[in-house]
Amino acid sequence: QVKLVESGGGSVQAGGSLTLSCAAIGGLYSRSILGWFRQAPGKEREFVALIRWRGGSELYADSVKGRSTISKYNGKNLVDLQLNNLKPDDTAVYYCAAGSQYETNQRVYEYWGQGTQVTVAS
């Protein structure tokens, strides 16, 4: 069983930066893909970024490409998502998820964290 715990959310002004962290408690083992998703008020949850636990291949949504970096720390079972040049449209609850397929479709992810709120003021 994998438990994911997010932290690092908060409120920032447009143009600011935040780093979100996801701690994987219980180990990842075969769940080799860590993804970040977000859900804005009144909208469906959408893919943000993912990273392969072994090898480190990364993938980003077009909406955050060039403004975000996903990083992993294997020894700590930790995955960070750095968000730069934040925009009001980035306001959402951000979720960490673990799965075994290199996919942007949230349905293939088996484990989810509780989410952390990011609010960007204009």
Side-chain angles (χ1 to χ4, degrees):
Q1 187 77 10
V2 176
K3 182 179 179 182
L4 303 175
V5 181
E6 302 99 334
S7 61
S11 298
V12 296
Q13 295 291 319
S17 299
L18 279 175
T19 298
L20 309 181
S21 293
C22 174
I25 300 170
L28 292 168
Y29 304 107
S30 62
R31 276 68 183 178
S32 61
I33 307 298
L34 265 291
W36 283 96
F37 293 79
R38 67 185 183 185
Q39 187 166 20
K43 295 186 178 180
E44 293 188 356
R45 190 158 54 186
E46 63 178 7
F47 167 75
V48 177
L50 64 80
I51 190 165
R52 192 185 299 274
W53 197 246
R54 293 184 178 87
S57 298
E58 304 164 22
L59 189 65
Y60 297 92
D62 288 343
S63 58
V64 301
K65 194 175 294 181
R67 302 189 293 122
S68 63
T69 303
I70 188 169
S71 304
K72 65 181 179 69
Y73 304 92
N74 293 54
K76 298 181 180 180
N77 275 356
L78 196 67
V79 173
D80 284 353
L81 179 69
Q82 183 176 357
L83 300 167
N84 299 314
N85 191 21
L86 283 160
K87 306 173 182 179
D89 284 348
D90 294 317
T91 295
V93 177
Y94 284 71
Y95 297 91
C96 175
S100 54
Q101 299 181 52
Y102 197 81
E103 280 281 349
T104 62
N105 186 338
Q106 60 177 310
R107 293 193 179 96
V108 307
Y109 287 80
E110 301 165 69
Y111 298 97
W112 291 83
Q114 81 288 352
T116 186
Q117 177 71 46
V118 171
T119 302
V120 184
S122 57

